[in-house]
Amino acid sequence: MSRLLLGLSLIGVSVLVNSCIPVMPTLQPTVSPTMIELPSIKVTPHTLLTILTAVTAVWQVAPSVSVVYDTARWKFDEAHNYLIWQGSPECILAQNIGRGVPEDWRIAETTVRLGERQVLSRTFTDAAGQVQFLVYHLKGLEYLESESVLLLVPSAEWEACAAEAESLLAQLRGTP
């Protein structure tokens, strides 16, 4: 019988304590769940959440050149000082150190517009015809004395990797 009274007493104390704790009001959103209007743009709640949660960082490409990148799309490897595209871990954007390639490789040169800059892009293909990497010469069409960026690409998806890298490099800041 004493156990029953003890149990009932504990329940009563629990109810009494809980009734003394103030209940926090739930906050209701003051905006429409379908559309939020900002000056000159309309943003859906999903887009607004993406904008608010995007985190950016700066990668120092060269002493006088940097780029701001989205950490959800690119990951910085501090040990090697390069960026890895989150869409493919083999898609790596690094500072170019230029060591040469085997004699049987082919090099195709094209010009690419990266934002305000027109730069020389060199695509390196191995003897089997697989694209191995690209180099973007940031000073324009001069590549011998230019700061450049090396893009290591996965063979199967090199075009998607290059498109993502070019989109990032279009945001370059500074003068090579």
Side-chain angles (χ1 to χ4, degrees):
M1 184 72 162
S2 64
R3 283 187 180 174
L4 179 61
L5 289 174
L6 178 62
L8 290 174
S9 297
L10 289 175
I11 292 172
V13 169
S14 175
V15 170
L16 180 63
V17 168
N18 284 335
S19 67
C20 294
I21 298 173
V23 176
M24 296 298 294
T26 56
L27 299 175
Q28 297 298 322
T30 58
V31 294
S32 164
T34 56
M35 189 64 68
I36 298 172
E37 272 193 65
L38 295 176
S40 75
I41 61 171
K42 290 186 179 183
V43 180
T44 64
H46 174 71
T47 306
L48 183 60
L49 180 62
T50 303
I51 291 169
L52 295 177
T53 59
V55 177
T56 59
V58 176
W59 177 49
Q60 196 68 38
V61 177
S64 61
V65 181
S66 64
V67 67
V68 175
Y69 65 95
D70 180 350
T71 58
R73 299 187 71 75
W74 291 88
K75 177 184 171 192
F76 180 67
D77 183 312
E78 192 171 338
H80 299 99
N81 190 31
Y82 57 65
L83 296 177
I84 303 167
W85 179 39
Q86 300 289 26
S88 173
E90 297 174 357
C91 182
I92 297 171
L93 195 56
Q95 296 169 331
N96 186 31
I97 50 177
R99 293 192 175 138
V101 294
E103 289 182 23
D104 59 352
W105 282 29
R106 291 187 315 262
I107 304 170
E109 294 183 352
T110 59
T111 57
V112 177
R113 180 153 299 282
L114 300 177
E116 299 293 316
R117 304 169 196 258
Q118 185 169 351
V119 302
L120 178 66
S121 171
R122 301 175 83 207
T123 304
F124 292 77
T125 308
D126 66 14
Q130 294 290 317
V131 174
Q132 295 297 312
F133 60 89
L134 288 83
V135 174
Y136 297 95
H137 298 279
L138 305 178
K139 198 169 189 172
L141 304 181
E142 308 166 29
Y143 71 87
L144 293 176
E145 298 179 16
S146 174
E147 299 286 354
S148 56
V149 177
L150 171 69
L151 176 63
L152 299 174
V153 297
S155 296
E157 29 187 71
W158 76 268
E159 291 169 323
C161 174
E164 188 70 24
E166 289 175 9
S167 175
L168 177 68
L169 292 173
Q171 309 304 316
L172 281 174
R173 298 176 178 181
T175 305

